[in-house]
Amino acid sequence: LLDKMRDSFLLSFLLSFLLRGSPLHALTYSTTPPPAGGIASSFEGWASSAGIVAPKIRIDDADELRNVIVTADVEEGEVLCVVPRTRCLDLASLAVDPTKAGASPCERLAPTRLWASLDWHERLSVWLLAEARRGRASEICGYIDYLPSPASFEDGLLDWTDAELAELRYPPLAAAVREQRDSIRRLLEALRAGGGADAGSVTLEELSWAQQLVLSRAFASDINKGERGATSGAMGSRAAPLPPPPPPKSGFQKAWERSELSTVVATRMPKLPSLDDLKGAIGGEPVNDPSFAMALMPMLDSFNHKSGAVNGCSFDPEANAFVLTAGAPLRRGEEAYISYGDKGNDALLQLFGFVEASNPHDSFLAVGLPEHVAAVARDSFRGGGGEAEVTRRVGLIDSLGLGPSLASAELTARGAPQGTWHALRLLLGSVEEVSGDLARLRGAVSLETEARCWAALRSYCKAARAAMGGARKADLAEARSTACPPRRALALQLRAEKKRLLSELEAALVAVESRSRKAGKPLSTVAMP
């Protein structure tokens, strides 16, 4: 089941443990109460002494939900925060420093030979753990003290029981969480087998702490190289790349099809930026290994996410620092946001622990769509070949490489990808259409065929919503109830947003069919841009 996910597992979020300890021993949890003013105040004091400049913002942690508040009016283009690269754990900095290139920064945990074999998130995790073990000697000790406590993130997916994961109604996500647990254990085994002098004392709890923090807080550090004050609309590419959708009929999909939602859908693994797109390190020569372009950035990772946030981060090579600039005016007392990227609710929940209402980047993986549409096609072809005709058309879809476009179709409230519509037309088009130039079916060829495609996708959406159980309004009402346990509330919020997406897609399909029939021709395929 999990072999396909072995090297690039679906990322979860948070589950953090506040670590304090001595340099050469396993970490212990501090029982010392936070200083007057709270943990945020202590962190801000450290940040100031570490050269982090943030004159018009403060961190508010009064209700344990930390956010960044503007303390004085900020104009568009004004600098919000400057973080020296030397106060970051930046893999890119290791690549461009000739004295460090290729060498492990934490030999006592991961000697260079082991370090070279680790993925980027494993490297950052081990490096963070090594810094935490240095205690007060670490240059980022104030940042480590500030990182979330166990109580803050006790509802992280890694701690959910199987029954709680089932409440998501997404079996693939449950399988991925289990794989993540296994991957952390494999990293622990690698440290114990080939680690340095201190590796033998590393505990699973420590490693889970480090890896979850990295996966939920790391940014791509290859952002707007040399362009100070750019407002890209996103704080670099936050978090890790995820595996592609499973191939049709893989063990992954078969397991889903045997689940309680066997004829309907599972969630798509969140579509996060691929590290293959990262071209080089900030402020230095390009590096071949994109793993060197991820970093933990104190203060910058304190900002909460909001889709469409326009505060942008860049790198100032002269100051050797990351610079966050306001992309629009901000007023005193309001919260300042960044965008973690164009992430759907799957990624936001798994990595950061929340669901964004009406998320414009949300999507829905239509697992089970091939079976659903094939059943519709069989009904359409009764008396005209039936099963044999459907089998022939499926063969045509596969011959054109469109199988994944149907089996792993990623739906949004706006529609489906062009390849999905092409495959639908091949299954539901007339005999004459499917016997001619198949390339023509990339676009609409007849109102009758488009109407069959629209109807098939609408009926799929209805079946998917029904399989997710209950009405959307009921889900939200229960999630908002004070009696609803936090984990169930998160599951209900996710389900409600998926149902919203499917309902909006149904409405879009109804609307385009109505307009097309009035015009007497297909006017749109409701394809995603």
Side-chain angles (χ1 to χ4, degrees):
L1 170 64
L2 299 174
D3 284 346
K4 297 290 184 182
M5 306 162 62
R6 182 64 60 189
D7 294 321
S8 53
F9 54 87
L10 178 62
L11 302 178
S12 157
F13 74 96
L14 306 173
L15 181 63
S16 310
F17 298 92
L18 181 61
L19 302 177
R20 290 184 177 89
S22 56
L24 301 180
H25 303 282
L27 298 175
T28 57
Y29 300 124
S30 172
T31 57
T32 304
I39 293 176
S41 177
S42 177
F43 168 68
E44 288 174 329
W46 168 82
S48 178
S49 67
I52 296 175
V53 179
K56 292 189 177 182
I57 60 174
R58 67 176 174 84
I59 297 173
D60 182 5
D61 63 352
D63 60 358
E64 295 187 358
L65 298 176
R66 298 172 186 170
N67 48 38
V68 176
I69 302 298
V70 177
T71 59
D73 289 354
V74 175
E75 299 305 317
E76 180 179 349
E78 191 171 347
V79 171
L80 289 171
C81 183
V82 179
V83 181
R85 191 179 199 175
T86 55
R87 293 298 182 263
C88 301
L89 294 188
D90 183 11
L91 293 174
S93 67
L94 301 179
V96 298
D97 186 339
T99 67
K100 300 177 181 177
S104 169
C106 44
E107 288 280 345
R108 295 188 67 87
L109 282 184
T112 296
R113 184 170 183 176
L114 174 60
W115 174 266
S117 71
L118 300 180
D119 289 334
W120 75 265
H121 52 86
E122 294 172 325
R123 294 182 186 183
L124 269 183
S125 299
V126 174
W127 193 4
L128 175 61
L129 185 56
E131 290 298 320
R133 285 180 163 229
R134 294 183 65 201
R136 300 298 101 187
S138 171
E139 293 185 349
I140 61 167
C141 59
Y143 174 59
I144 293 171
D145 289 346
Y146 167 73
L147 293 172
S149 68
S152 299
F153 303 112
E154 62 185 4
D155 294 316
L157 288 184
L158 282 185
D159 266 2
W160 286 28
T161 65
D162 287 345
E164 289 168 335
L165 288 172
E167 287 296 318
L168 293 168
R169 300 297 176 97
Y170 283 117
L173 174 54
V177 171
R178 296 186 188 99
E179 165 60 14
Q180 185 181 6
R181 293 169 183 161
D182 289 343
S183 73
I184 295 172
R185 292 189 182 95
R186 290 195 299 273
L187 177 56
L188 180 63
E189 292 170 1
L191 285 172
R192 289 178 174 171
D198 297 338
S201 62
V202 173
T203 67
L204 184 62
E205 184 181 58
E206 291 176 82
L207 203 54
S208 295
W209 168 81
Q211 186 145 127
Q212 292 311 294
L213 284 173
V214 164
L215 294 177
S216 64
R217 305 179 82 89
F219 291 99
S221 57
D222 188 10
I223 45 179
N224 298 324
K225 181 159 42 179
E227 298 178 8
R228 181 167 183 152
T231 53
S232 63
M235 246 296 304
S237 303
R238 187 162 182 170
L242 294 177
K249 296 300 179 183
S250 67
F252 188 92
Q253 185 170 334
K254 289 177 181 176
W256 169 237
E257 292 172 355
R258 290 196 297 270
S259 74
E260 61 184 66
L261 309 180
S262 59
T263 61
V264 204
V265 300
T267 185
R268 192 202 191 305
M269 298 178 184
K271 187 177 181 180
L272 298 181
S274 170
L275 289 179
D276 291 337
D277 296 331
L278 301 177
K279 304 301 182 185
I282 296 177
E285 295 300 318
V287 292
N288 294 325
D289 187 347
S291 298
F292 288 110
M294 296 296 286
L296 290 172
M297 303 179 184
M299 186 66 79
L300 294 180
D301 63 4
S302 298
F303 288 76
N304 286 328
H305 164 82
K306 193 177 202 177
S307 290
V310 293
N311 299 321
C313 189
S314 62
F315 182 74
D316 183 342
E318 293 182 3
N320 194 31
F322 298 98
V323 181
L324 183 67
T325 306
L330 296 168
R331 294 295 161 247
R332 178 182 177 182
E334 71 175 286
E335 181 173 358
Y337 294 92
I338 60 175
S339 170
Y340 297 172
D342 295 346
K343 292 177 173 55
N345 279 322
D346 304 339
L348 294 179
L349 175 57
Q350 294 158 31
L351 295 171
F352 310 110
F354 65 91
V355 175
E356 183 177 12
S358 301
N359 184 346
H361 307 297
D362 208 7
S363 62
F364 192 97
L365 181 66
V367 175
L369 182 60
E371 293 77 14
H372 181 88
V373 179
V376 173
R378 277 191 290 271
D379 289 341
S380 300
F381 301 139
R382 274 182 189 167
E387 186 67 44
E389 179 63 12
V390 170
T391 300
R392 182 181 79 85
R393 294 178 180 227
V394 169
L396 292 176
I397 290 172
D398 290 340
S399 70
L400 294 174
L402 292 172
S405 295
L406 199 59
S408 300
E410 188 177 359
L411 307 180
T412 73
R414 301 181 302 277
Q418 182 183 27
T420 301
W421 290 111
H422 192 183
L424 288 173
R425 294 182 190 109
L426 286 167
L427 266 177
L428 299 171
S430 68
V431 174
E432 293 77 14
E433 291 168 344
V434 177
S435 299
D437 180 7
L438 300 182
R440 290 178 58 245
L441 294 176
R442 292 175 183 167
V445 292
S446 69
L447 179 56
E448 293 74 16
T449 292
E450 292 304 287
R452 284 193 291 271
C453 293
W454 296 329
L457 196 53
R458 286 200 309 270
S459 63
Y460 174 83
C461 290
K462 286 183 172 64
R465 286 193 291 109
M468 297 188 77
R472 177 176 176 270
K473 289 184 178 179
D475 288 344
L476 290 175
E478 182 182 349
R480 291 168 183 153
S481 168
T482 56
C484 185
R487 297 181 186 184
R488 177 163 173 78
L490 285 171
L492 288 168
Q493 289 167 19
L494 183 70
R495 285 156 50 178
E497 285 305 302
K498 298 303 181 185
K499 293 173 187 176
R500 177 196 58 77
L501 183 156
L502 292 168
S503 294
E504 291 182 4
L505 176 54
E506 283 183 66
L509 293 166
V510 169
V512 73
E513 181 170 2
S514 176
R515 292 196 305 269
S516 297
R517 290 198 179 280
K518 287 180 181 179
K521 61 181 180 180
L523 299 180
S524 170
T525 58
V526 199
M528 292 190 301

